[in-house]
Amino acid sequence: MLKFKMTTHSGMLLLPSPVTVVYNSEFSVPADDVTVEFPYIKGCEDGDFLYGFDGENLVFKGQIDEIITKSSGEKITVKITARSMASVLLDNEAEPCIYFNASSSVIFERHLQPFGFNGYIGDNNPYFGYIKISKGMSQWQVLENYCVNKYGKKPRITGDGRVILNGGINGEVLCFGNNESYRYISAESRIKRYKVISDVRLKVKQGNRYGSVIKNSLADTRLVRRRYVDALTGGGSVGTADRIISTSNGNAFEIELVCPYMLMCEVGNKATINDEVIGSYDGLYVHKIRYTADSKSEKTVITLKKDCLLYTSPSPRDLSTSR
């Protein structure tokens, strides 16, 4: 089971063994969250940051959102909810401005460093173009817009507080299966046909018509799921259409595994599975983790998806102009 510490005005406080733990991490959600309940200990009402450890490894760091003290007879417990470091960027508004050819270090110094981040993983090359920060945008939206424009990927802030600008996780490839490194007690595959975008119509010339089409070569021709992108005044591009299609392909298939133990990997980790019923798949990644534990048992539910980046962009012949 995970072990926890918290910071208070008096220093670091080691928390008792939890009664229950729920940990959620999802690749498409910026902040991880933890809910932990433990026997009351003096000073915990003053908690600020929560730290979760798998052995000696820090797997969660985040500011505490809520502290609930419960008294029932002679039993006193405390329930704490916290979100990982991405939450501070979600909760703070950015000052409106416009950046021209901004480097990663500029974005870091102005939008991350003031909130307690110590560094980032990624290059310091500038993004050649402009990024507009409008009134009401969060600090997270600034970081996300910068990374999507520069790398074509969303950033990721790991559970232990590392900032990865290009969204990639370089770690162990997790191999699931009875004869593989990681076993599971149940597996469920899901084919979501409605997620697949069949084609994207683009406006690339002045006028009201979306005359250009990018088709999804992997789509079932029996289904039509269409999107429109304004590549002139709407801020979109052919690259936007490619990302819409590839992301839809990645979301159309997933595998859920139930593991009867704690598995605290990073979402985004590459994965494979070898199952007699579901089949064998490479090119997967960990999309979602839900870890739960109490005094009797613990389990981790892992959701695997196809890495949409493995899908090739539509070839030039798929780009056609209606006449």
Side-chain angles (χ1 to χ4, degrees), residues 6 15-19 36-41 44 76-78 80:
M6 68 162 59
L15 300 181
S17 296
V19 177
V36 55
E37 186 174 1
F38 53 89
Y40 174 81
I41 181 174
C44 64
I76 304 176
T77 60
V78 177
I80 287 178

Side-chain angles (χ1 to χ4, degrees), residues 4-7 15 20-24 31-38 44-52 60-70 77-85 87 91 290:
F4 292 92
K5 297 179 181 179
M6 68 162 59
T7 56
L15 300 181
T20 60
V21 178
V22 177
Y23 168 85
N24 294 297
D32 303 341
D33 68 85
V34 166
T35 301
V36 55
E37 186 174 1
F38 53 89
C44 64
E45 304 96 329
D46 187 39
D48 184 15
F49 276 86
L50 182 70
Y51 297 82
F60 180 86
K61 174 186 176 183
Q63 198 157 32
I64 295 171
D65 286 330
E66 189 174 39
I67 302 174
I68 301 174
T69 303
K70 299 191 296 183
T77 60
V78 177
K79 180 184 288 187
I80 287 178
T81 59
R83 291 172 295 155
S84 61
M85 290 295 290
S87 64
D91 294 346
R290 180 175 175 83

Side-chain angles (χ1 to χ4, degrees), residues 153-301:
K153 298 180 183 179
K154 294 183 179 181
R156 178 70 191 169
I157 298 179
T158 63
D160 58 4
R162 291 172 293 136
V163 180
I164 303 176
L165 296 184
N166 65 4
I169 302 293
N170 295 320
E172 172 193 4
V173 177
L174 305 178
C175 300
F176 293 94
N178 292 331
N179 298 319
E180 304 293 347
S181 302
Y182 296 95
R183 63 184 180 88
Y184 48 86
I185 57 175
S186 69
E188 181 175 301
S189 66
R190 301 164 183 158
I191 299 173
K192 300 182 178 183
R193 300 170 68 217
Y194 67 96
K195 290 285 187 178
V196 179
I197 301 302
S198 55
D199 63 78
V200 178
R201 303 292 175 95
L202 295 103
K203 181 191 288 187
V204 295
K205 294 181 179 181
Q206 292 293 343
N208 296 323
R209 297 190 63 194
Y210 287 76
S212 296
V213 182
I214 292 184
K215 297 179 181 179
N216 185 357
S217 60
L218 299 179
D220 189 330
T221 56
R222 297 171 297 178
L223 298 176
V224 177
R225 299 289 186 273
R226 181 169 295 146
R227 298 291 184 269
Y228 290 85
V229 171
D230 186 343
L232 287 179
T233 60
S237 65
V238 174
T240 303
D242 288 347
R243 286 193 294 271
I244 290 173
I245 288 174
S246 61
T247 300
S248 77
N249 289 336
N251 289 333
F253 177 77
E254 66 182 27
I255 298 172
E256 184 178 279
L257 306 174
V258 178
C259 304
Y261 51 84
M262 178 173 62
L263 178 54
M264 299 301 295
C265 63
E266 291 285 356
V267 293
N269 258 118
K270 305 300 182 184
T272 66
I273 185 172
N274 184 9
D275 187 274
E276 293 181 357
V277 176
I278 290 178
S280 297
Y281 294 92
D282 297 321
L284 303 175
Y285 75 97
V286 177
H287 179 76
K288 186 177 181 179
I289 297 172
R290 180 175 175 83
Y291 167 75
T292 56
D294 55 29
S295 59
K296 297 180 181 179
S297 64
E298 58 184 349
K299 71 176 181 179
T300 308
V301 179

Side-chain angles (χ1 to χ4, degrees), residues 94-103 105-112 127-133 139 142-143 146:
E95 181 180 354
C97 67
I98 296 177
Y99 287 112
F100 293 94
N101 303 338
S103 65
S105 60
V106 168
I107 298 298
F108 171 76
E109 290 167 4
R110 297 185 183 180
H111 299 278
L112 284 90
Y127 164 66
F128 293 104
Y130 79 94
I131 295 178
K132 182 180 180 181
I133 302 175
Q139 299 285 2
V142 175
L143 178 64
Y146 178 79

